[in-house]
Amino acid sequence: METRNDLLTGEEFTPSRRNQRFASRANQVRYNNLLAQQKRDAKRPLDLALDRNRSILIRLLGEAKSVTKSKDYLLGAGYDFTAFTQTAKDEMFNFYCVYDMALLIIGEGKYMIKRR
């Protein structure tokens, strides 16, 4: 009978199925959880920056439809200009979007914040 090594623990086992890669179901679950955790850890810095940017834009916008702020003001508030979810362009403006919030470049160092 063929033996294999468990991907998680390295222990040797005899598979009961042709495609079995783990000695036990618990090892398979733990292995997959470790892979998922590595994926989450890799994305965490960007996710935190996006969440912080969105919170800043929502706080600055408040109840208004739009508000204009300078780049220095946004930097002082902790905004990270390298973290955004997508870009867009219309006839007049370039947009940097953070989920449902849009940051429009309206001139030298001036940005308009509005909801998409």
Side-chain angles (χ1 to χ4, degrees):
M1 199 69 151
E2 175 192 353
T3 61
R4 293 186 186 167
N5 291 332
D6 187 292
L7 290 179
L8 179 68
T9 63
E11 70 181 278
E12 196 170 288
F13 71 97
T14 304
S16 58
R17 295 183 327 271
R18 204 171 5 142
N19 64 346
Q20 187 175 351
R21 301 183 309 158
F22 300 95
S24 68
R25 176 75 174 138
N27 286 359
Q28 181 183 7
V29 169
R30 186 164 168 238
Y31 180 84
N32 288 328
N33 284 342
L34 288 172
L35 289 181
Q37 184 64 46
Q38 289 173 353
K39 190 175 180 181
R40 285 190 300 271
D41 289 345
K43 292 181 358 180
R44 183 169 288 121
L46 180 58
D47 288 342
L48 289 173
L50 288 171
D51 186 54
R52 186 172 38 252
N53 279 356
R54 185 174 181 273
S55 296
I56 291 168
L57 294 177
I58 288 172
R59 181 175 45 85
L60 294 177
L61 184 60
E63 296 297 318
K65 287 192 179 266
S66 67
V67 64
T68 302
K69 298 291 181 187
S70 69
K71 181 175 184 172
D72 292 335
Y73 188 92
L74 291 167
L75 288 171
Y79 191 84
D80 180 359
F81 284 91
T82 63
F84 50 89
T85 55
Q86 70 255 13
T87 60
K89 186 175 182 174
D90 69 4
E91 307 82 40
M92 297 177 59
F93 300 110
N94 289 322
F95 298 82
Y96 289 91
C97 303
V98 180
Y99 300 114
D100 61 332
M101 304 298 295
L103 191 64
L104 290 71
I105 303 170
I106 58 173
E108 285 297 316
K110 294 289 183 184
Y111 294 86
M112 182 188 300
I113 303 166
K114 69 178 196 172
R115 291 193 190 276
R116 289 190 54 194

